[in-house]
Short mmCIF file of all heavy atoms in Angstrom, two decimals:
data_model
loop_
_atom_site.label_atom_id
_atom_site.label_comp_id
_atom_site.label_asym_id
_atom_site.label_seq_id
_atom_site.Cartn_x
_atom_site.Cartn_y
_atom_site.Cartn_z
N GLY A 385 -45.70 -16.11 9.51
CA GLY A 385 -46.75 -15.30 10.12
C GLY A 385 -46.69 -13.88 9.60
O GLY A 385 -46.76 -13.64 8.40
N LYS A 386 -46.53 -12.93 10.50
CA LYS A 386 -46.49 -11.51 10.11
C LYS A 386 -45.06 -10.97 9.99
O LYS A 386 -44.86 -9.77 9.83
CB LYS A 386 -47.28 -10.67 11.12
CG LYS A 386 -48.76 -10.96 11.10
CD LYS A 386 -49.52 -9.75 11.59
CE LYS A 386 -50.99 -9.91 11.36
NZ LYS A 386 -51.44 -9.41 10.10
N ALA A 387 -44.08 -11.87 10.05
CA ALA A 387 -42.67 -11.45 9.99
C ALA A 387 -42.04 -11.84 8.65
O ALA A 387 -42.17 -12.98 8.20
CB ALA A 387 -41.89 -12.06 11.13
N VAL A 388 -41.35 -10.89 8.05
CA VAL A 388 -40.61 -11.13 6.81
C VAL A 388 -39.18 -10.65 7.06
O VAL A 388 -38.97 -9.55 7.58
CB VAL A 388 -41.22 -10.37 5.61
CG1 VAL A 388 -40.38 -10.54 4.36
CG2 VAL A 388 -42.66 -10.81 5.36
N VAL A 389 -38.21 -11.47 6.69
CA VAL A 389 -36.80 -11.10 6.84
C VAL A 389 -36.14 -11.18 5.47
O VAL A 389 -36.19 -12.21 4.80
CB VAL A 389 -36.07 -12.03 7.83
CG1 VAL A 389 -34.60 -11.64 7.93
CG2 VAL A 389 -36.72 -11.97 9.20
N LEU A 390 -35.53 -10.08 5.06
CA LEU A 390 -34.79 -10.00 3.80
C LEU A 390 -33.31 -9.90 4.13
O LEU A 390 -32.92 -9.11 5.00
CB LEU A 390 -35.20 -8.76 3.00
CG LEU A 390 -36.69 -8.52 2.76
CD1 LEU A 390 -36.91 -7.17 2.10
CD2 LEU A 390 -37.27 -9.65 1.93
N SER A 391 -32.47 -10.67 3.45
CA SER A 391 -31.03 -10.57 3.69
C SER A 391 -30.27 -10.89 2.41
O SER A 391 -30.84 -11.40 1.45
CB SER A 391 -30.59 -11.49 4.84
OG SER A 391 -30.91 -12.82 4.52
N GLY A 392 -29.00 -10.58 2.41
CA GLY A 392 -28.17 -10.84 1.25
C GLY A 392 -27.65 -9.56 0.64
O GLY A 392 -27.54 -8.53 1.32
N TYR A 393 -27.37 -9.63 -0.67
CA TYR A 393 -26.66 -8.54 -1.33
C TYR A 393 -27.37 -8.06 -2.59
O TYR A 393 -27.99 -8.83 -3.31
CB TYR A 393 -25.24 -8.98 -1.72
CG TYR A 393 -24.44 -9.43 -0.53
CD1 TYR A 393 -24.23 -10.78 -0.29
CD2 TYR A 393 -23.91 -8.51 0.36
CE1 TYR A 393 -23.50 -11.21 0.81
CE2 TYR A 393 -23.19 -8.93 1.47
CZ TYR A 393 -22.99 -10.27 1.69
OH TYR A 393 -22.27 -10.69 2.78
N VAL A 394 -27.22 -6.76 -2.83
CA VAL A 394 -27.62 -6.11 -4.07
C VAL A 394 -26.45 -5.24 -4.52
O VAL A 394 -25.60 -4.86 -3.70
CB VAL A 394 -28.91 -5.28 -3.91
CG1 VAL A 394 -30.11 -6.18 -3.60
CG2 VAL A 394 -28.76 -4.21 -2.85
N PRO A 395 -26.38 -4.90 -5.82
CA PRO A 395 -25.18 -4.23 -6.33
C PRO A 395 -25.07 -2.72 -6.11
O PRO A 395 -24.01 -2.15 -6.37
CB PRO A 395 -25.20 -4.56 -7.82
CG PRO A 395 -26.63 -4.80 -8.13
CD PRO A 395 -27.24 -5.39 -6.89
N SER A 396 -26.13 -2.06 -5.66
CA SER A 396 -26.05 -0.60 -5.53
C SER A 396 -27.06 -0.09 -4.51
O SER A 396 -28.05 -0.77 -4.22
CB SER A 396 -26.32 0.07 -6.88
OG SER A 396 -27.70 -0.11 -7.24
N PRO A 397 -26.84 1.12 -4.00
CA PRO A 397 -27.84 1.72 -3.11
C PRO A 397 -29.19 1.89 -3.81
O PRO A 397 -30.24 1.74 -3.18
CB PRO A 397 -27.23 3.07 -2.74
CG PRO A 397 -25.76 2.90 -2.93
CD PRO A 397 -25.63 1.95 -4.10
N GLU A 398 -29.16 2.19 -5.10
CA GLU A 398 -30.40 2.36 -5.85
C GLU A 398 -31.19 1.05 -5.92
O GLU A 398 -32.41 1.04 -5.75
CB GLU A 398 -30.12 2.91 -7.26
CG GLU A 398 -29.49 4.28 -7.28
CD GLU A 398 -27.99 4.31 -6.97
OE1 GLU A 398 -27.32 3.25 -7.03
OE2 GLU A 398 -27.48 5.39 -6.65
N SER A 399 -30.48 -0.05 -6.17
CA SER A 399 -31.18 -1.34 -6.23
C SER A 399 -31.66 -1.75 -4.83
O SER A 399 -32.72 -2.37 -4.70
CB SER A 399 -30.30 -2.43 -6.86
OG SER A 399 -29.09 -2.59 -6.17
N ARG A 400 -30.94 -1.37 -3.80
CA ARG A 400 -31.39 -1.65 -2.43
C ARG A 400 -32.69 -0.90 -2.17
O ARG A 400 -33.64 -1.46 -1.61
CB ARG A 400 -30.32 -1.24 -1.42
CG ARG A 400 -30.67 -1.64 0.00
CD ARG A 400 -29.57 -1.21 0.99
NE ARG A 400 -29.75 -1.79 2.29
CZ ARG A 400 -30.70 -1.45 3.15
NH1 ARG A 400 -31.58 -0.54 2.83
NH2 ARG A 400 -30.78 -2.04 4.33
N ALA A 401 -32.76 0.37 -2.58
CA ALA A 401 -33.97 1.15 -2.40
C ALA A 401 -35.13 0.56 -3.21
O ALA A 401 -36.28 0.54 -2.73
CB ALA A 401 -33.72 2.61 -2.80
#
Side-chain angles (χ1 to χ4, degrees):
K386 293 206 170 269
V388 176
V389 178
L390 309 173
S391 59
Y393 302 103
V394 294
S396 69
E398 297 78 17
S399 57
R400 186 180 191 289

